[in-house]
Structure formats: structure tokens, C-alpha cells
Amino acid sequence: MSDSRSPPGTEGVMYWLLLSGNRLLLAAGVVAVITAATLAILWTFGVAAVLPRSPMNFVYSSLLTGNLTLLTVVLSINQLVLSRELGDPGTLRQRVDATLNFRSEVEETTAASVTPKSPGAFLRHLHESVADEVDAVEEMLHDVDDADADRRLSSVTDSLRRDIRRVNRTLDDEADSIFAVIGATLSTTHAEQLNDIERVRAGCDDSLPDTLPVRLERIRDALLQIDVARNYFRTIYVQKELAYLSRVLLYVGVPAIAASGLSLLVYNAGYVTPASASLYAALVAVTVPLGFAPLAILFAFVLRLSWIAQRTSAIPPFSADTDYRP
């Protein structure tokens, strides 16, 4: 995401902003900026800027309408996504059977009697099996006389080792959760590695060790299973994140709508019986940031969801530009 010209620390800040940062903390930061801007306007232009004959009626009307629309749209999207979890017993049984079949395939590929049940441990198990196969392939490299095959195999094994170290390091730093799996696999699509493996397998001849194609096939199967697991855990994560986002928006959105509506009543009443200027200033300083809070929350959560979707859009063996910009 960053380049060599980025200033020091930018990558860490962007990583926190786009992925690792607490979403509620990020939303609170946005609300704090809006609060500071509101206070700055009051300080610069005085209380007269928010008296009943100011455009505050229009501001509160817009906040009220916007928050009602925002909550309705987000809750509708959430219900559409979560509706995938609903189904008759036959449909639900098919999903369970498909998941069990996938675990059985992984156990067969990795020669394990039982695979771990937690997402992080499951992902680590798959990468450890790849690491074992990489060790075996590297031991065969001194018997490979084909220069092109040797170059491709060396490139693949080095790339896989970097991916394995990156994934394990991320899993060590993060709690064992679905989000840790998403963060650990964001930059590992394996498309180039799978392409190089297929090229080597297609060019295998008598000059290559007999067991090399078998080892490469196991690596290929494990990489494809890693991607299936990653996309499955991503689906679960998106569903959980949208459900949590909907709940938080209800917690914040209902008070924001109530505050905007009541403030609108206060301003309309001010045409008949004006209140003190300090009351209007305090009302604006509290209710305007609160009115923007649902939008700040939506910004914080959708920023991460959209970035994850962009970074994990490609499905191997195909690759895509994860840094796409129109």
C-alpha cells in the first residue's frame, strides 16, 4: 500500500487506519474533529451564528433526515447479508456437510488425523504443512539440472517461506480470532506461486526427482485450501462485522435522531420565545457532533470492510491488482 517515498511511520498509521485500529476509537476521533470544528465556529463567529434566525434549522433537518435514511439503508443491507444464514434443514445440512468435507480434504492433504477447530490454529496448521513440503522440495534442488526449473523452484520456496513467516508472525501478535486470520492473509494470494508450480510440473521430465511432482502437487493443494479457508473466514468476519455495525448504529443513531429532532423543536420554539444565547451555543456544541456520530461510525467500519474486500478480491490461480484505482 505504501511506496519507498512514503514518510517514516506512514505505513504504520495507514495500517492502523485501514485495518488494525479500533473502529470505535477511530469514529470517536472523527467526532472529536467535528466537535473541535463546531467550537471553532462558535469561537470565531460568536453565538449569533447559531441563534434561531441562523441556518441551524436547515442543519438539524438535514441531520435528522440523513440519519433516518442511513439507519434504514444500513439495516436493510445487514438483513440482506445475514439472510444467508437462514435456511431449511436440508440447506443447513448441505452447508455442514460441505464444511466437513473441506476439513477432511485438509486432513488428507496435511496427513493429520484431526485439524484444529479455531481459525488461527487451522490456518497455522495449513502453513506448517506447506513449510514441511517446502523443506522436502529444497532438499531436492541439488538434484535438479534444469536451470529454469531450479530458478522457478527457488523463487517459489523463498516466496512461500516469506509468506509463512509473515502469517505466523501476525498470528503470534494477534489474538486467535477470525480477524487475526484476515489480517494474516491479506497479502498472500499465492497466484504467482501456483503459476510457477504448474509450469514446473508441466515441464517435469526424467532429469527431475521422481517425488518432486508429488511434493509440488501437495503444495498446490494446500495453497488452494488456504485460500478457501481465507475466503470462508472472510465471509464469517463480514457477517459478524455488519451485525456489530448495525447494533452500534442503533445505539448511537437513535439518540442522534432524537437529539436532532428535539433541537429542531427548540429552534422552532425560539421564534416565539427566545432563550438565552448560551443555551443555543451549548445545544449546538453537543447535538451537532452527536448528529454526525452515526456517519463517523459508518465511515470507520466501511473503510475497513471495503479495504479488506479490495485486498482479497482475487481468487487463485488468478491474480488481480489489489491496489486498483479507477
Side-chain angles (χ1 to χ4, degrees):
M1 291 297 294
S2 61
D3 55 39
S4 58
R5 297 170 295 178
S6 301
T10 299
E11 184 175 359
V13 172
M14 291 302 298
Y15 184 81
W16 185 92
L17 179 67
L18 294 171
L19 184 67
S20 65
N22 186 295
R23 298 298 96 182
L24 296 181
L25 183 60
L26 177 59
V30 175
V31 173
V33 171
I34 295 173
T35 303
T38 304
L39 294 176
I41 292 174
L42 291 174
W43 178 269
T44 303
F45 298 100
V47 180
V50 294
L51 290 178
R53 300 197 178 278
S54 67
M56 290 306 299
N57 274 24
F58 174 76
V59 173
Y60 283 119
S61 297
S62 299
L63 288 175
L64 181 61
T65 305
N67 283 330
L68 284 172
T69 304
L70 175 65
L71 289 182
T72 302
V73 171
V74 170
L75 291 176
S76 298
I77 293 174
N78 179 62
Q79 292 303 314
L80 179 64
V81 173
L82 294 182
S83 64
R84 297 181 67 256
E85 295 300 305
L86 306 177
D88 56 77
T91 302
L92 297 176
R93 181 55 187 267
Q94 288 178 358
R95 296 178 185 174
V96 173
D97 290 342
T99 304
L100 292 176
N101 290 336
F102 174 67
R103 289 178 65 94
S104 299
E105 292 175 2
V106 171
E107 290 167 0
E108 181 179 354
T109 301
T110 61
S113 56
V114 179
T115 54
K117 64 176 183 178
S118 64
F122 186 81
L123 183 68
R124 190 189 297 273
H125 171 73
L126 277 169
H127 280 82
E128 288 175 352
S129 69
V130 173
D132 293 338
E133 297 298 333
V134 168
D135 291 338
V137 170
E138 286 182 337
E139 292 178 358
M140 301 178 189
L141 287 181
H142 65 276
D143 296 328
V144 176
D145 297 328
D146 189 312
D148 182 65
D150 181 78
R151 178 182 58 81
R152 289 187 181 277
L153 286 173
S154 298
S155 175
V156 168
T157 55
D158 291 343
S159 176
L160 288 173
R161 287 205 177 277
R162 287 194 299 270
D163 286 347
I164 293 168
R165 286 196 298 269
R166 185 185 302 114
V167 168
N168 288 335
R169 183 169 59 249
T170 305
L171 292 177
D172 289 338
D173 294 339
E174 301 278 354
D176 188 8
S177 63
I178 291 179
F179 180 74
V181 171
I182 299 298
T185 58
L186 274 178
S187 58
T188 55
T189 61
H190 305 303
E192 291 294 334
Q193 298 156 349
L194 288 168
N195 183 61
D196 286 339
I197 287 174
E198 290 301 326
R199 286 180 179 275
V200 173
R201 291 182 65 215
C204 283
D205 52 32
D206 296 338
S207 65
L208 298 177
D210 295 337
T211 57
L212 181 60
V214 177
R215 296 289 185 180
L216 293 177
E217 183 176 3
R218 290 177 182 173
I219 292 177
R220 184 204 63 180
D221 291 344
L223 293 180
L224 293 175
Q225 289 165 352
I226 287 173
D227 191 73
V228 171
R230 179 185 67 164
N231 283 283
Y232 173 67
F233 292 137
R234 181 189 63 180
T235 301
I236 296 177
Y237 160 74
V238 170
Q239 292 174 346
K240 290 167 65 70
E241 189 87 331
L242 286 176
Y244 181 61
L245 170 61
S246 299
R247 195 168 81 248
V248 173
L249 278 176
L250 286 175
Y251 292 155
V252 178
V254 172
I257 291 172
S260 298
L262 293 175
S263 299
L264 194 58
L265 293 177
V266 170
Y267 268 84
N268 286 332
Y271 286 103
V272 179
T273 307
S276 64
S278 58
L279 173 63
Y280 292 113
L283 185 68
V284 169
V286 173
T287 57
V288 169
L290 180 59
F292 280 100
L295 182 61
I297 290 173
L298 185 66
F299 162 77
F301 279 85
V302 172
L303 184 66
R304 180 161 69 184
L305 285 167
S306 60
W307 192 70
I308 288 175
Q310 179 180 341
R311 297 289 297 182
T312 59
S313 58
I315 298 180
F318 299 102
S319 61
D321 182 10
T322 56
D323 292 326
Y324 167 76
R325 295 177 180 84

